Amino acid sequence: MSLYPLEAWSSLDEIVGTVAEAEKLGFYGVGLPEHLIVPTGPGAPSRPSAFWVDNFAFGAVLARATRGMRIMLSALVIPYRHPLHHAQGVATLDWISNGRVDVTVGVGWMREEFEALRVPYRERGRRTDDYLRAMRVLWTEPEPAYDGEFVSFGDLLFAPTCVQKPHAPLLIGGHNENAFRRVVEFGAGWAPMMASAESVRAGLVRIREGLAAVGRSDDLRVFTRVSILGGNATITKAAASHKADLVRAQKHSVSRSDAERTIEVMATYREAGVTEFGLSFPWENAARYVETIQWFAAEVMPAL
């Protein structure tokens, strides 16, 4: 489930109550997208929302308000922070939640955020790879040491590590050859943003080829976001700001409110290999949000 946009809620308590209700209804997890700033200069991308919070803090609140729901950092933009910061934040949240954190790995796409951080935009892919390798060392080795292209460390101890072993699951975002390669090297799964069923099917072919080449199982989690009941206009507007090759699902969105059509579309994604769904739907207040998730739990979930 998505809580976006956060400014549409009247209070944090209202969010917490809604997430607790979603857990009772059987929803698997809550996704927490990330931005640090919203640019306003000439040529800046569309900005449907300017309200973004620290997801390690926000996730900790939601973790303590739930018992089994996954706290999904979706996505965690890896080049934005030093891997020591990322590794500690993820491990701490995994400890707070008693092993309920999922991490969708994001490379980042908004150039203005990189410029504000003084992180070279063209290095974001290489930094992501380097930082992920460093984070894995921190999470898995008793006396971590690492010497990479952008970061190196040694002669240190790091704790806590993740409750989940070997570490919190990494679902790799993106829909290109670099993303497929990262799934093979790092991923417990793949998370293409708002993908069509056809693009999921084609991407999984490439990923499975890579997994077979290194002797890894192809038993992957596959997550994508789908629009139901016409979709969430704010999410659709935000998605339109992303690079074209990351946005593929608008024409596949469910546009009618009946459960049968929703089940039909989601079954198509299931057949393509999707194992988990993020839902985008219209809502303007907490009452409408709860009404929709109650409808989905009663009318759609039993058929999935």
Side-chain angles (χ1 to χ4, degrees), residues 70-85:
R70 304 292 294 181
I71 308 300
M72 310 174 82
L73 301 172
S74 182
L76 184 66
V77 184
I78 301 301
Y80 283 178
R81 301 173 187 83
H82 192 282
L84 284 167
H85 292 157

Side-chain angles (χ1 to χ4, degrees), residues 70 88-102 161-165 167-169:
R70 304 292 294 181
Q88 183 184 56
V90 170
T92 301
L93 188 55
D94 206 45
W95 172 65
I96 290 170
S97 67
N98 194 27
R100 290 187 282 132
V101 172
D102 290 331
T161 56
C162 296
V163 173
Q164 300 173 89
K165 300 303 178 187
H167 49 72

